[in-house]
């Protein structure tokens, strides 16, 4: 079994299904250069950003911000790095939560239209422990009040 290494800026080693977290996610077209505000989050050099709303969908993906042109993060720069179902956590802004790559395999960088969808599962998309506690409490109440949990 090979070891998985983590880089502070570029996330996990390639070919992993869960990528390193991003500071913010865009759902609109961005200029992929310079410091800017993305989804009400200030983005500066070396911040990771999930880009999901480019007019040219082949430009979507995970980027590392720079004062000049942004570059694709090392864990999202090769065809071997991404597959349908790849997940990334976004920590800031109203787009915070877990995002899932929904583009059908094979995904080809700079050729395939790359599409991410925000996961709406309350346990997966929880922003903090109180969100998880609320979801668990709701399930607990359903079970204790005689609800059929096989459908939950």
């Amino acid at each position: 079994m090979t070891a998985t290494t983590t880089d502070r800026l570029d996330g996990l080693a390639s070919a992993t299904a869960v990528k390193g977290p991003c500071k913010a996610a865009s759902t609109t077209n961005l200029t992929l250069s310079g410091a800017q505000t993305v989804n009400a989050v200030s983005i500066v050099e070396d911040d990771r950003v999930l880009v999901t709303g480019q007019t040219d969908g082949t430009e979507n993906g995970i980027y590392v911000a720079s004062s000049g042109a942004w570059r694709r993060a090392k864990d999202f720069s090769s065809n071997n790095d991404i597959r349908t179902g790849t997940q990334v956590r976004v920590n800031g802004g109203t787009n915070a939560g877990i995002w899932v790559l929904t583009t059908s395999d094979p995904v080809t960088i700079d050729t395939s239209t790359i599409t991410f969808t925000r996961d709406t599962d309350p346990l997966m998309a929880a922003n903090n422990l109180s969100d998880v506690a609320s979801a668990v409490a709701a399930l607990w109440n359903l079970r204790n009040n005689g609800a059929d949990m096989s459908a939950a």
Side-chain angles (χ1 to χ4, degrees):
M1 182 175 194
T2 60
T4 300
T5 53
T6 304
D7 181 283
R8 182 180 68 82
L9 294 178
D10 286 316
L12 298 173
S14 66
T16 57
V18 178
K19 301 302 179 186
C22 293
K23 187 172 182 181
S26 72
T27 56
T28 59
N29 198 59
L30 294 178
T31 299
L32 298 174
S33 66
Q36 57 189 288
T37 300
V38 174
N39 193 234
V41 177
S42 177
I43 301 298
V44 297
E45 190 152 351
D46 294 333
D47 285 339
R48 287 172 56 95
V49 178
L50 176 62
V51 176
T52 69
Q54 292 302 96
T55 302
D56 178 354
T58 66
E59 295 178 346
N60 290 336
I62 301 171
Y63 286 82
V64 177
S66 173
S67 58
W70 292 7
R71 66 174 173 80
R72 287 191 186 270
K74 288 180 185 174
D75 63 346
F76 206 93
S77 62
S78 165
N79 297 336
N80 293 332
D81 295 337
I82 53 178
R83 296 283 180 269
T84 301
T86 297
Q87 297 178 7
V88 61
R89 168 90 183 159
V90 173
N91 292 326
T94 59
N95 291 329
I98 304 294
W99 288 75
V100 179
L101 180 74
T102 56
T103 303
S104 297
D105 290 332
V107 182
T108 305
I109 295 289
D110 296 327
T111 302
S112 300
T113 297
I114 297 173
T115 306
F116 281 88
T117 302
R118 188 167 175 212
D119 192 338
T120 56
D121 180 329
L123 293 178
M124 291 299 293
N127 289 320
N128 54 51
L129 288 177
S130 66
D131 288 349
V132 172
S134 295
V136 170
L139 289 173
W140 181 261
N141 286 334
L142 282 172
R143 185 179 72 91
N144 287 338
N145 291 320
D148 179 6
M149 291 306 291
S150 64

